[in-house]
Amino acid sequence: MKDAAHTESSELEKLGINAKLDDERGYQDHLCTQIVFASDETDDFRSWKIFQDALTRSLPYFQTYQSAVSLAVRSLNSDPEKDTFEEQLTLHTVPDQMWRFIMMGAALNDVSGLDPTTRSALRMRSILAGVDVDWTNSHWARHILETQGWSPALKAGQKSAGLMWLLVQHADDDPAFQVMALRQLEPLAKSDQFSKPNYALLSDRVMLATTGKQHYGSQLSCSNHKLTPYSMDQGGDNADTLDARRSEMGLPSEAAYIEHFRKSFPKGC
């Protein structure tokens, strides 16, 4: 993990950013990333047997949903030799969104027959599946932006540009790539060729990764059973200042934003 952080820091330095990255993150290292996510779930299991039993019970649920994702992708009838950019983009977006729905803890609350440990194991399986998808998608998106920029997405329309942005937004294992994408987007957002709200959301993602602060309050955490934005930069803790920033970028108030996402978080937050 330290090697991964060092490599990513070197990539950022080439872009003129001197960032202190978390040396317990698996930047651009697939195995490290999987371990980081899996280790976050261990508190729900008091013994190895409880963990094994929960993992076994979760498997049929996971396999059922995995089959649904596979069938959804297969129904697109993809052909890499003939697919248009929009078709390729859809192929990458469908699994991204399907796995993210399950990765959010609240999505599993209404599944019947799940005890707490089985639910935790199922969420863990789903997170690791989502990590796999993000890994594939980020490499595809990076290749497109390095070779062609945002032109293919913009030519395909604002909807396609938004979907491409989604893949970049979820490429957290490669902050250097996100920085590159954000810099490409800056003049496009200023000239109204690209969504200002999405530009602001990616800005927060990049700022958190490289400075530990955010400007628009888009990245949320559950603290003391309350949804709040992660660490804000100077002035961001003032509600009026924050809402003014958000308004300039076409974002709703922070209170409305939090309320919108409340149902996506586990109960008790």
Side-chain angles (χ1 to χ4, degrees):
M1 291 180 187
K2 290 182 179 179
D3 287 345
H6 176 74
T7 299
E8 190 67 18
S9 293
S10 297
E11 290 295 316
L12 286 166
E13 286 178 6
K14 293 176 183 177
L15 297 171
I17 295 177
N18 184 18
K20 179 173 173 52
L21 295 179
D22 183 356
D23 62 5
E24 295 184 0
R25 279 275 305 275
Y27 300 101
Q28 297 192 59
D29 187 303
H30 195 33
L31 179 59
C32 283
T33 300
Q34 290 176 312
I35 292 171
V36 168
F37 276 103
S39 65
D40 287 342
E41 302 296 317
T42 55
D43 291 343
D44 293 331
F45 307 106
R46 290 180 287 109
S47 71
W48 179 249
K49 185 178 186 307
I50 290 175
F51 167 70
Q52 286 182 307
D53 290 346
L55 202 61
T56 298
R57 290 193 301 271
S58 70
L59 184 58
Y61 293 94
F62 175 77
Q63 289 176 327
T64 299
Y65 195 77
Q66 186 179 45
S67 294
V69 176
S70 296
L71 288 170
V73 171
R74 193 182 308 166
S75 70
L76 298 173
N77 294 317
S78 174
D79 183 345
E81 300 298 323
K82 299 179 181 179
D83 283 354
T84 64
F85 173 79
E86 297 97 311
E87 290 169 334
Q88 294 178 52
L89 186 57
T90 300
L91 185 70
H92 288 274
T93 305
V94 167
D96 171 287
Q97 290 298 281
M98 291 187 72
W99 282 117
R100 240 162 202 86
F101 176 74
I102 296 296
M103 287 165 67
M104 301 299 288
L108 299 176
N109 290 338
D110 297 327
V111 179
S112 61
L114 284 180
D115 60 89
T117 55
T118 302
R119 181 179 290 109
S120 182
L122 179 57
R123 180 170 179 269
M124 181 176 66
R125 287 184 182 275
S126 302
I127 287 174
L128 295 184
V131 168
D132 284 343
V133 169
D134 287 348
W135 184 260
T136 299
N137 287 351
S138 66
H139 283 74
W140 179 79
R142 178 187 259 273
H143 174 72
I144 295 293
L145 295 186
E146 283 183 335
T147 58
Q148 304 176 64
W150 284 88
S151 294
L154 291 172
K155 286 180 180 178
Q158 285 299 314
K159 183 176 181 179
S160 291
L163 294 180
M164 189 67 173
W165 164 86
L166 195 68
L167 301 187
V168 176
Q169 184 82 340
H170 294 159
D172 291 330
D173 282 342
D174 194 353
F177 164 52
Q178 290 180 321
V179 168
M180 179 195 77
L182 186 68
R183 288 180 175 177
Q184 290 181 349
L185 284 177
E186 184 175 7
L188 299 174
K190 287 182 177 179
S191 60
D192 293 324
Q193 297 179 68
F194 184 81
S195 163
K196 286 184 178 178
N198 283 352
Y199 175 79
L201 296 181
L202 184 56
S203 294
D204 272 356
R205 208 90 162 201
V206 167
M207 281 186 64
L208 273 176
T210 57
T211 70
K213 303 288 184 179
Q214 60 175 325
H215 191 68
Y216 299 105
S218 65
Q219 304 304 299
L220 306 177
S221 66
C222 183
S223 178
N224 296 321
H225 307 290
K226 182 180 179 181
L227 273 183
T228 57
Y230 281 108
S231 180
M232 297 296 304
D233 63 1
Q234 187 173 5
D237 292 330
N238 180 292
D240 292 336
T241 300
L242 178 56
D243 282 347
R245 293 176 181 177
R246 294 176 62 83
S247 179
E248 288 179 1
M249 301 304 288
L251 293 167
S253 70
E254 185 71 8
Y257 181 77
I258 288 175
E259 187 59 34
H260 173 75
F261 279 100
R262 191 178 306 280
K263 61 184 179 181
S264 300
F265 281 77
K267 291 181 180 178
C269 190

